[in-house]
Amino acid sequence: PLLKAADAIPAAGPARLSEAEMQTAAWIREHALSDNRSYEILESLTTEVGARLAGSEADLRAVAWAEAKMRALGLDKVWKEPVQYPVWQRLSELASVISPYPHRLQVTALGHSVSTPEGGVQADIVRVASLQDLKNTDPAKVHGKIVFIDHKLKKSADYGEVAAGRSRGASEAARKGALALVIRSVGTDSHRLPHTGVMHYDDDAPRIAAAAISNPDADLLVRMLDRGEPVRLDLRIQTAMGGHFTSYNVIGELRGSEQPDDYVLIGGHLDSWDLGTGAVDDGAGCAITLGAAEFLRRHQLRPRRSIRVVLYANEEQGLIGGRAYHTAHRHEISRIQAASEADSGQGPVKMLRSDVRPAALAVVGQIQQVLTGLGVNAGGNQAHPGPDMGVLREAGAASFSLDMQADDYFDLHHTADDTFDKIDPARLRQSCAAFAVFAWMAAQSPVDFGSGDALIQSRKTRTAG
Amino acid sequence: PLLKAADAIPAAGPARLSEAEMQTAAWIREHALSDNRSYEILESLTTEVGARLAGSEADLRAVAWAEAKMRALGLDKVWKEPVQYPVWQRLSELASVISPYPHRLQVTALGHSVSTPEGGVQADIVRVASLQDLKNTDPAKVHGKIVFIDHKLKKSADYGEVAAGRSRGASEAARKGALALVIRSVGTDSHRLPHTGVMHYDDDAPRIAAAAISNPDADLLVRMLDRGEPVRLDLRIQTAMGGHFTSYNVIGELRGSEQPDDYVLIGGHLDSWDLGTGAVDDGAGCAITLGAAEFLRRHQLRPRRSIRVVLYANEEQGLIGGRAYHTAHRHEISRIQAASEADSGQGPVKMLRSDVRPAALAVVGQIQQVLTGLGVNAGGNQAHPGPDMGVLREAGAASFSLDMQADDYFDLHHTADDTFDKIDPARLRQSCAAFAVFAWMAAQSPVDFGSGDALIQSRKTRTAG
Ligand SMILES: [Zn+2]
Ligand SMILES: [Zn+2]
Ligand SMILES: [Zn+2]
Ligand SMILES: [Zn+2]
C-alpha cells in the first residue's frame, strides 16, 4: 500500500485526493476491518488497569499504562501533559425504604455529591417527572422531603435532557428545601446496577446529597407511590472531596511526512467511573483511536500531516483534560486539521458529519465515499467533535463526528456492568477501520480544512442558513 | 361455564371426561389467558414483601402476606403448618484481586457458607474447570490456595451438573487443603450480579468459606490467568448460622364438590434469596398456582376433588417446607390425585409430562389435548413434580411437570436482578391458564391417577422399559 510520490500529486480542478490515494484509503478500510489490535488494547486496559476513577491511585496506573502502551505500539512521539483537579471519593452508600414496605435499594452516589448528615436522611419522597417538573413544583411540597426525579431514559437521543436532572437536580431541589436528591438511573437498561455520573452544585443553593437508584428500584418506588401511601426512605451517603491531584493527558503521535506540525486530532478519555472497568466508556474510544494510529504506523502509511492521539485525563468530572489540552495548545488551533473524539462506545460508526470550510467539502465527500463501504452514511457539514474537544471547536478547530450506533451504550454507561465482556470485536474493528480511514485521509488531504476564525464565522452562516 | 350434572356423567368405554367437561376446560383456557390476576398477585408479593430470605424477619412478613392474600382471594379454606430450620445470615462479603492487577470483584456468599477467618483469606487461586476437574486435581496443587471453579452455565439443561460445584465444591476443595472456594456464578447472564444459592458441608471436611463472583469477574480472572502469572485474591466473608426459626407452609384450598378430601396439589415456594425480590424464583410459581385456583373459584368452577395450593417455606436452603409437608401428610398420599409445583420461572409452559397409572392415560391425553391450544407439547409418562413435591413422589404421589420455557430463567436466578420488572404478563397468563386447566381437569377426572405403592412399582417397569 505504499504511495509512490507521483501518485500523490493532486489532479486539476478542486483540490481532491488522487485516485491512488483513494485506493490506499480503501486498502486501509479493508485491512483494518480484519485487524484485532483495538480489541487487544482494550483487553489490556480493562484487565491490567480496570476501573480508573479520576483522582484515585488507578488514575496514575492508567497514565503509566497509556504511556507504556503507546511506546510499545511504536508511535513516533509519546509524551504527557499535566492536568490538575480536586479529588472526589466515594466512601459508602446505602438506601432503603423504611415504609410502607421495607426494601433495600441498589444505590450509587453521584459524582461530586456531598455526604448525607450524620445519621443519614430519613424522609418521605416527593416524585417529580423531570428536572422541568421539579422547577414547576411548589416549594411547600418539597420542603423537608427527599426529591425523587423519576425521568426514564427511553432512547439514547434523550440523554442530554434526562441527564440534566442528574447534573442540576440537587441544587434545584435544595433551593426548595429538599433534604436530599434521589434519581432514577439515567440508563436504558433494567438491571439492579445504578448509573453514576457527575453532578454540579450551584453557589446559591445548600449542598444536599445526590444519588441514583437502579431502574428496577425506581419502578418499585413508583409501584409503592401508586398505592397512594407516603414512601419513606433512609439514605446514607458518605463521600469526601478535597486535595489537589495531578494527572496527565497522554499523547502519542504518528509524525506527518510533509507538514508534521499540522495534525489530525483523535482520541478518547482515559478516566472512567469507579463502578465498572470503563470498557465502553471510554476504553473503547481510547482503543479505537490508538488502534487506528497504530494500524497506520504498522503499515508505514504515514500521511502528509501528523495524526495525534490524545487520551484525556478526567473527562467524567468536568472535561478537565480537554480544557487543559486547550489551554496548553490554544495558540495552535490553526494547526489542527481536524478534531474528532471517540466517546460513544464500541460502534459501529453509522454516520460521518463534518464541520469544515466549503473548499474542503470535496475531500470530505471523498472520505464519505470510502466510509460508505463500512455502512457509514453522510451527515452533512454540522458536527461536534466530542466532549473533550468541544472547547477546541469553540476556538475554531475544524471538527468531525463519527457517530456510533448507540442502542445499547446507555445500558452499560457509568455502571458496574461496563466491562470487557460486553465488547464485540467486530464492532470495534469497524470503528477502528472508520477512524483509520478518516484520520489518514484528513491528514493526507491536499486542502486545509480551515480551522480558525473564518470557520467560526462560517458556522453562523450555516446555522442561519 | 357452569356444568350441568348430566353433562358430567362419563361416556362408556375407558374413563374419560365428557364432551361438556372438555368444553369447560377449553373455556378455562381461553378466559384464564386474558386474566391478569397472577400478575397482580406477583406485583403484590414483590412490592409489599420483596426479598424474603428464609429465617429473616421478611420470612414471617411473607407468611402473613400469603395467608391474608389467600383469604382476600376467597379460597374456601386457608391454614398454615409449621416448618422449622436454623437461621443463616449474610453479614458482609468482599473480594478483590490483590495482584497482578488490583480489582474489586462483585461477590456474594453462598447460602450456609461459614465466614472467612479473622482478617480474611489472602491466597493465590487455582482454577479448575468443574467439580469433576477438582476431584481429579492433585491435592498438592490446591493446598493453601483458593479454589476457583470456572464452570460456565451455557444452557439451562446443564444447571444440575454445574450447580454441583456450588453445592459440593467447598468440601471437595477443603479435603485437599484449600483455604476457600470461589465459583463462577451459576448463571447464563453476563452482568456484574453474582448468583447465590445454597451449599452443603460434608462432615469429613474442614468448613471453608464459599462465594460466587459474577460472570464478568470470572472472565477477568481467566484473562489474568491466561497471562501465566499467579493471581492473588483477598476474600472476606462474614456470615452467621444458628438459632431455630419457625416459619410456615401456607395452604389454601378450593374444596371439591364430590371428593373434597382428595386433592390436586399445586404451589410454589414462598421464600426467596435475599439479593432480589424473588420474582421469577419463585414468586412466579406462587402467583401462577394461586392465580389458577382463584380463577376457578371466581368463576365457580368447583371440580369433584379439591385443589390445594401450598406456598412452601424455605425451599432454597434444603427443601425444608416440602419435607415438612410430607411429614405432616405422609398418611394421605393416596388422597393426592396429582402433584405439580411451579418453580421454573414465569413460563410459558412448553410441555406436559405425567407420572400416572396406565388407566389414567386417557384423561392425561384429554388434558394434553386442551393444553395444545396453549402451545404445550406432550412429554410422555415420566415426570418429576418439582423440588418441594419430590418427596411426595418418592412416597408414591402421581406427579405432573408443566415444563416451562427456561431460556432466560438462569439469567436472573438467585441474583439481585430477580425483580418484578422482568415479568411479562402474557407469559404469566399463559402459565396460569395451563395450571388452571391442568388442576381443574385432574381434579374433575372420572378416574383416579393412582397415587400409592402400585405407582412406585409401575415406575420401575417404565424406567426398565
Ligand atoms: Zn465518556
Ligand atoms: Zn462517561
Ligand atoms: Zn425456586
Ligand atoms: Zn432458587
Side-chain angles (χ1 to χ4, degrees):
Chain A
L2 291 181
L3 289 172
K4 296 186 201 116
D7 292 339
I9 297 167
R16 301 171 66 90
L17 290 157
S18 70
E19 197 47 47
E21 287 168 325
M22 290 296 281
Q23 285 172 17
T24 299
W27 186 95
I28 292 168
R29 180 189 67 207
E30 294 311 311
H31 288 77
L33 205 49
S34 60
D35 190 291
N36 246 355
R37 187 59 51 87
S38 287
Y39 189 71
E40 292 164 11
I41 293 169
L42 187 51
E43 193 274 348
S44 171
L45 175 61
T46 53
T47 305
E48 296 164 16
V49 183
R52 45 200 182 278
L53 183 70
S56 71
E57 60 82 34
D59 182 326
L60 295 181
R61 281 196 288 116
V63 167
W65 172 91
E67 197 177 359
K69 185 62 73 179
M70 284 182 175
R71 291 193 196 284
L73 292 174
L75 294 191
D76 299 320
K77 201 178 152 193
V78 177
W79 72 100
K80 49 191 195 177
E81 299 179 350
V83 183
Q84 295 189 315
Y85 36 85
V87 175
W88 178 80
Q89 291 176 273
R90 181 192 308 282
L91 301 177
S92 66
E93 45 212 5
L94 282 172
S96 50
V97 183
I98 301 169
S99 62
Y101 312 111
H103 281 264
R104 179 78 167 271
L105 304 177
Q106 297 287 330
V107 67
T108 189
L110 298 182
H112 290 191
S113 172
V114 298
S115 301
T116 47
E118 182 88 25
V121 170
Q122 294 80 37
D124 288 352
I125 61 173
V126 171
R127 179 190 172 279
V128 295
S130 64
L131 178 63
Q132 189 54 51
D133 187 23
L134 174 58
K135 286 179 180 170
N136 297 339
T137 299
D138 181 354
K141 288 191 181 156
V142 167
H143 191 86
K145 304 280 172 58
I146 296 172
V147 166
F148 167 42
I149 300 183
D150 182 28
H151 199 169
K152 189 159 171 66
L153 180 64
K154 290 178 183 159
K155 55 184 200 296
S156 300
D158 298 340
Y159 178 73
E161 183 198 344
V162 178
R166 185 191 73 208
S167 326
R168 318 210 62 82
S171 287
E172 197 63 41
R175 274 191 290 269
K176 298 187 175 195
L179 302 179
L181 175 74
V182 167
I183 66 166
R184 175 188 280 276
S185 278
V186 183
T188 41
D189 64 299
S190 288
H191 296 296
R192 299 285 302 288
L193 294 166
H195 296 238
T196 190
V198 77
M199 51 83 61
H200 306 282
Y201 290 113
D202 297 339
D203 287 338
D204 69 343
R207 296 186 168 214
I208 60 174
I213 56 173
S214 79
N215 273 307
D217 290 289
D219 295 342
L220 175 71
L221 293 189
V222 170
R223 295 201 304 274
M224 287 190 193
L225 289 165
D226 282 348
R227 285 161 163 77
E229 300 169 89
V231 175
R232 194 169 182 80
L233 293 195
D234 183 2
L235 183 69
R236 293 160 191 262
I237 302 290
Q238 291 298 311
T239 63
M241 176 73 102
H244 271 264
F245 191 87
T246 301
S247 185
Y248 300 90
N249 290 332
V250 185
I251 307 175
E253 209 168 68
L254 180 68
R255 294 291 284 172
S257 58
E258 298 179 14
Q259 301 159 242
D261 293 339
D262 295 339
Y263 59 91
V264 171
L265 182 67
I266 57 177
H269 63 83
L270 187 57
D271 72 311
S272 77
W273 285 103
D274 50 337
L275 306 178
T277 60
V280 305
D281 184 18
D282 183 29
C286 296
I288 288 163
T289 53
L290 189 50
E294 192 275 338
F295 176 87
L296 298 175
R297 187 212 61 80
R298 188 168 8 118
H299 296 285
Q300 289 119 52
L301 290 157
R302 190 180 296 279
R304 292 194 177 98
R305 297 174 192 76
S306 294
I307 295 172
R308 184 177 292 186
V309 181
V310 183
L311 304 189
Y312 291 97
N314 201 348
E315 183 272 350
E316 292 293 3
Q317 299 180 32
L319 317 180
I320 301 171
R323 293 183 213 279
Y325 186 89
H326 170 256
T327 301
H329 298 269
R330 65 187 178 280
H331 301 303
E332 60 182 50
I333 298 297
S334 65
R335 297 215 162 274
I336 300 176
Q337 165 74 343
S340 187
E341 186 173 2
D343 185 23
S344 315
Q346 59 184 311
V349 176
K350 302 299 281 182
M351 184 177 281
L352 178 75
R353 290 184 291 143
S354 64
D355 167 51
V356 300
R357 67 183 177 116
L361 285 172
V363 170
V364 171
Q366 291 184 298
I367 297 173
Q368 175 64 54
Q369 188 185 328
V370 177
L371 292 181
T372 299
L374 294 172
V376 177
N377 296 315
N381 199 28
Q382 290 278 7
H384 192 280
D388 292 295
M389 297 184 189
V391 62
L392 297 176
R393 182 181 184 277
E394 298 289 303
S399 299
F400 282 76
S401 176
L402 279 69
D403 296 348
M404 290 181 179
Q405 177 180 317
D407 57 348
D408 58 356
Y409 182 62
F410 290 108
D411 287 351
L412 305 171
H413 183 253
H414 296 186
T415 73
D417 233 0
D418 183 5
T419 47
F420 183 68
D421 52 288
K422 311 306 184 303
I423 302 296
D424 175 351
R427 292 172 66 175
L428 214 60
R429 285 196 296 264
Q430 191 270 9
S431 300
C432 181
F435 264 90
V437 165
F438 155 72
W440 186 85
M441 293 181 81
Q444 182 70 8
S445 170
V447 58
D448 191 274
F449 286 175
S451 293
D453 291 342
L455 187 63
I456 297 176
Q457 287 306 316
S458 80
R459 284 179 195 142
K460 290 173 188 157
T461 325
R462 276 182 271 149
T463 310
Chain B
L2 291 183
L3 289 172
K4 296 184 204 123
D7 292 337
I9 296 167
R16 301 171 64 89
L17 290 158
S18 71
E19 197 47 47
E21 287 168 326
M22 290 296 281
Q23 284 171 17
T24 299
W27 185 95
I28 292 169
R29 181 189 66 208
E30 294 311 311
H31 288 77
L33 205 49
S34 60
D35 191 290
N36 246 355
R37 188 58 51 88
S38 287
Y39 190 71
E40 293 163 11
I41 293 169
L42 186 51
E43 193 274 348
S44 171
L45 174 61
T46 53
T47 306
E48 296 164 16
V49 182
R52 45 200 181 278
L53 183 70
S56 71
E57 61 81 34
D59 181 326
L60 295 180
R61 282 196 287 116
V63 167
W65 173 91
E67 195 176 2
K69 184 63 70 180
M70 284 182 174
R71 292 194 195 285
L73 292 174
L75 294 191
D76 298 320
K77 202 177 151 194
V78 176
W79 73 101
K80 50 191 192 177
E81 299 179 350
V83 182
Q84 295 187 317
Y85 36 85
V87 175
W88 177 80
Q89 292 176 272
R90 182 192 309 281
L91 301 176
S92 67
E93 45 213 3
L94 283 172
S96 50
V97 182
I98 301 170
S99 62
Y101 312 113
H103 279 264
R104 179 77 168 273
L105 304 177
Q106 298 287 331
V107 67
T108 189
L110 298 182
H112 289 191
S113 172
V114 297
S115 301
T116 47
E118 182 88 23
V121 170
Q122 295 80 37
D124 288 352
I125 61 173
V126 170
R127 177 189 172 279
V128 296
S130 64
L131 177 63
Q132 189 55 51
D133 187 23
L134 174 58
K135 286 179 179 169
N136 297 340
T137 299
D138 180 355
K141 288 193 181 155
V142 167
H143 191 87
K145 303 280 173 61
I146 296 172
V147 166
F148 166 42
I149 300 183
D150 182 29
H151 199 169
K152 187 158 175 69
L153 181 63
K154 290 179 182 158
K155 55 184 202 296
S156 300
D158 298 340
Y159 178 72
E161 183 198 344
V162 178
R166 185 190 73 207
S167 327
R168 319 210 63 82
S171 286
E172 196 63 39
R175 273 190 289 270
K176 299 188 176 196
L179 302 179
L181 175 74
V182 167
I183 66 166
R184 175 187 281 276
S185 278
V186 183
T188 42
D189 65 300
S190 288
H191 296 296
R192 297 286 302 286
L193 295 165
H195 296 238
T196 190
V198 78
M199 51 81 62
H200 306 282
Y201 290 113
D202 296 339
D203 287 338
D204 69 344
R207 298 188 166 212
I208 60 173
I213 57 173
S214 80
N215 272 308
D217 290 288
D219 295 341
L220 175 70
L221 294 189
V222 170
R223 295 201 302 273
M224 286 189 195
L225 289 166
D226 282 349
R227 285 161 164 76
E229 301 169 88
V231 175
R232 193 167 182 81
L233 293 194
D234 182 4
L235 184 68
R236 291 159 192 264
I237 303 289
Q238 291 298 314
T239 62
M241 175 73 102
H244 270 265
F245 191 87
T246 301
S247 183
Y248 300 90
N249 290 332
V250 185
I251 307 175
E253 207 168 70
L254 179 69
R255 294 291 284 172
S257 58
E258 296 178 15
Q259 302 159 242
D261 293 339
D262 295 339
Y263 60 90
V264 171
L265 182 68
I266 58 177
H269 64 84
L270 186 57
D271 71 312
S272 77
W273 284 103
D274 49 337
L275 306 179
T277 61
V280 306
D281 184 18
D282 183 30
C286 295
I288 288 163
T289 53
L290 189 49
E294 192 276 338
F295 177 87
L296 299 174
R297 186 212 61 79
R298 187 165 12 115
H299 295 285
Q300 289 120 51
L301 290 157
R302 189 179 297 278
R304 292 194 177 98
R305 297 174 192 77
S306 294
I307 295 173
R308 183 178 292 187
V309 181
V310 183
L311 304 188
Y312 291 96
N314 201 349
E315 183 272 348
E316 293 291 3
Q317 298 179 33
L319 318 179
I320 301 170
R323 293 184 214 277
Y325 185 89
H326 169 256
T327 301
H329 299 270
R330 65 186 177 281
H331 301 303
E332 60 182 52
I333 298 297
S334 65
R335 296 214 162 275
I336 300 175
Q337 165 74 344
S340 187
E341 186 172 3
D343 185 23
S344 315
Q346 59 185 314
V349 176
K350 302 299 283 183
M351 185 177 280
L352 178 75
R353 290 183 290 143
S354 64
D355 166 52
V356 300
R357 66 183 178 118
L361 285 173
V363 170
V364 171
Q366 291 185 298
I367 298 174
Q368 176 63 53
Q369 187 185 329
V370 177
L371 291 181
T372 299
L374 294 173
V376 177
N377 297 314
N381 199 28
Q382 291 277 8
H384 193 278
D388 292 295
M389 297 183 187
V391 60
L392 297 175
R393 181 180 185 278
E394 299 288 304
S399 299
F400 283 76
S401 176
L402 279 68
D403 295 347
M404 291 182 177
Q405 178 180 315
D407 57 349
D408 57 356
Y409 181 62
F410 289 108
D411 288 350
L412 306 171
H413 183 254
H414 296 187
T415 73
D417 233 1
D418 183 5
T419 48
F420 183 68
D421 51 288
K422 310 306 185 303
I423 302 296
D424 174 352
R427 292 172 66 175
L428 214 60
R429 285 196 297 266
Q430 191 271 9
S431 300
C432 181
F435 264 90
V437 164
F438 155 72
W440 186 83
M441 294 182 81
Q444 183 71 6
S445 169
V447 58
D448 191 275
F449 286 175
S451 293
D453 291 343
L455 187 62
I456 298 175
Q457 287 307 315
S458 81
R459 283 178 196 144
K460 290 172 189 158
T461 324
R462 276 183 271 150
T463 310

